[in-house]
Amino acid sequence: MTESKFTPRVFSGIKPSGGLTLGNYLGAIKRFVGMQGAGFETIYCVVDLHAITVWQDPAELKTATREVAAGYLASGIDPEKSILFNQSQVHEHAELGWIFNCVARVGWMNRMTQFKDKAGSNAENVSLGLYAYPSLMAADILLYHATHVPVGEDQKQHVELTRDIAAKFNHDFKVDFFPLTTPVIEGPAMRVMNLRDGTKKMSKSGESDMERINMTDDADTIAKKFKKAKTDPEPLPETLDGLKDRPEARNLVDIYSALNDITPEAVIAEYAGAGWGRFKPALADLAVEKLAPISTEMERLMNDPAEIDRILGRGAERACEIAAPILKETYDIVGLLRR
Ligand code: AQP
């Protein structure tokens, strides 16, 4: 099967499971903005049904949903150029998710490393939804016949599973209906790490606020967090190779590089031999320069929740126009009678 019969279309999403982090910005949103108007139809989602795979306070979930939408808008997602909505307003996601639960195999789910990380030793007690999450994610993508999915490195395995589900569906029903979606994982900050432990990913729901930069952090907080970020005693090396086995140092160089749209090599060329006393304040200044206009705009948008809800509602209508016929045809292929 070739992808050529499918319209070049991007789908990606972010869970409103807390405030947005620098990881979400560099690994996802900044790149979503870059793909807008670059030869693709772009569909961006606040994946609220994924957020409830772990407990969410209902009032906080509504706020977080609007905050993720505000983060998209403030960073440059244009709701006229892209379709922007929250997932639960398009019921077709949950319906296709069920079909895919019947296509995906338990053995495939058992290999998902994110589930193992999140469930840890508590696997018997987490929700069934957390286990089935990747098949709903496959539905999110394939409901639009999306050909490309920009994600951070942590989601690569889930996009590969999406391809497996599409291939098995096509094979089982002898159709060429779902595309084999391409994960787009490129750039220096595909896995922004925790500021206190360079072997762990920076996450919204990580235990300590000091381990992440939130997109809404003010300048002082950003400076304090970078100042206290774990590093090693060595200065920055002469070449990028010198950062091997220095995960915290590498992480800060990658963040600088992604924020400034330059390569990690160019960062090293500029700061070779510099100590942390020089590099960390420069990094904090750069982060403030890039994030402050976004957080100011997010604050303005959050003061008008009705406008955010209106944009998401309109986006949901547009999303539904693409999703409904694809789900209808899926039902027909599977053999489910319609009225
Ligand atoms: N640290 C990261 N580095 C690069 N990319 C990241 N992404 C998330 N964290 C990083 C990317 O952001 C997109 C949305 O992710 P998500 O919020 O839907 O899910 P997640 O990856 O589980 O994010 P968190 O912050 O870790 O959430 P919690 O703590 O609630 O589980 C994806 O493209 C992801 O790759």
Side-chain angles (χ1 to χ4, degrees):
M1 191 179 76
T2 65
E3 288 178 7
S4 57
K5 76 171 201 167
F6 297 100
T7 308
R9 189 176 280 153
V10 165
F11 177 94
S12 203
I14 298 181
K15 278 189 309 204
S17 49
L20 292 167
T21 70
L22 186 63
N24 297 130
Y25 178 65
L26 295 176
I29 301 179
K30 187 169 189 270
R31 300 167 56 227
F32 298 174
V33 175
M35 293 183 97
Q36 191 173 244
F40 297 100
E41 276 181 33
T42 42
I43 306 175
Y44 297 124
C45 192
V46 186
V47 284
D48 46 8
L49 295 176
H50 287 287
I52 61 167
T53 54
V54 299
W55 167 253
Q56 302 295 333
D57 172 84
E60 285 173 19
L61 177 60
K62 287 180 185 169
T63 305
T65 300
R66 293 188 181 113
E67 188 184 312
V68 173
Y72 276 128
L73 294 164
S75 303
I77 297 298
D78 177 341
E80 296 304 318
K81 288 192 191 146
S82 294
I83 296 179
L84 175 63
F85 70 107
N86 60 308
Q87 183 189 25
S88 61
Q89 294 210 63
V90 180
H91 59 79
E92 285 84 354
H93 286 251
E95 292 181 50
L96 187 61
W98 179 257
I99 304 272
F100 286 170
N101 281 346
C102 303
V103 173
R105 306 289 92 184
V106 167
W108 299 358
M109 294 295 163
N110 286 342
R111 285 196 286 276
M112 294 299 110
T113 54
Q114 196 186 69
F115 178 77
K116 288 182 200 156
D117 290 348
K118 291 206 165 165
S121 54
N122 196 27
E124 293 287 311
N125 260 327
V126 296
S127 75
L128 185 55
L130 187 69
Y131 185 69
Y133 167 138
S135 104
L136 179 60
M137 178 166 158
D140 300 335
I141 296 165
L142 296 174
L143 188 55
Y144 301 94
H145 281 179
T147 53
H148 295 79
V149 183
V151 280
E153 181 67 39
D154 60 318
Q155 293 292 341
K156 183 169 183 238
Q157 196 184 30
H158 292 164
V159 184
E160 281 163 1
L161 184 98
T162 300
R163 292 168 65 92
D164 290 342
I165 289 177
K168 181 162 167 52
F169 183 99
N170 289 343
H171 175 266
D172 288 354
F173 294 101
K174 301 184 178 49
V175 289
D176 178 14
F177 186 60
F178 288 116
L180 299 188
T181 307
T182 306
V184 185
I185 303 171
E186 53 199 28
M190 289 307 94
R191 196 171 176 84
V192 177
M193 306 311 273
N194 178 320
L195 297 181
R196 306 313 291 263
D197 178 350
T199 63
K200 288 194 193 145
K201 177 181 96 123
M202 182 184 287
S203 272
K204 300 184 205 82
S205 56
E207 267 164 39
S208 157
D209 196 54
M210 291 301 288
E211 66 191 45
R212 62 179 163 264
I213 303 287
N214 303 302
M215 280 178 71
T216 50
D217 281 343
D218 61 28
D220 288 349
T221 309
I222 291 176
K224 185 171 86 188
K225 286 179 176 177
F226 278 127
K227 188 168 175 208
K228 292 200 178 274
K230 184 178 166 200
T231 40
D232 51 44
E234 301 299 317
L236 283 168
E238 299 293 322
T239 66
L240 204 56
D241 250 11
L243 289 176
K244 222 160 61 130
D245 305 322
R246 296 177 63 188
E248 285 87 9
R250 175 74 208 226
N251 187 38
L252 296 187
V253 167
D254 283 346
I255 292 174
Y256 191 103
S257 134
L259 279 170
N260 216 14
D261 294 313
I262 56 175
T263 60
E265 287 83 357
V267 180
I268 290 296
E270 191 177 341
Y271 286 98
W276 297 109
R278 185 175 149 222
F279 186 72
K280 282 180 169 181
L283 175 59
D285 287 349
L286 176 65
V288 170
E289 180 195 321
K290 302 288 178 183
L291 292 182
I294 298 176
S295 64
T296 306
E297 177 62 3
M298 282 175 74
E299 201 180 327
R300 191 192 67 75
L301 289 161
M302 288 298 282
N303 283 328
D304 190 358
E307 175 62 4
I308 295 180
D309 295 358
R310 191 195 64 74
I311 292 170
L312 293 176
R314 171 73 191 117
E317 283 168 13
R318 291 172 62 205
C320 198
E321 282 166 21
I322 303 174
I326 290 178
L327 182 69
K328 187 163 175 277
E329 201 170 337
T330 308
Y331 278 160
D332 188 52
I333 291 169
V334 173
L336 301 171
L337 284 179
R338 321 302 305 142
R339 276 194 297 275

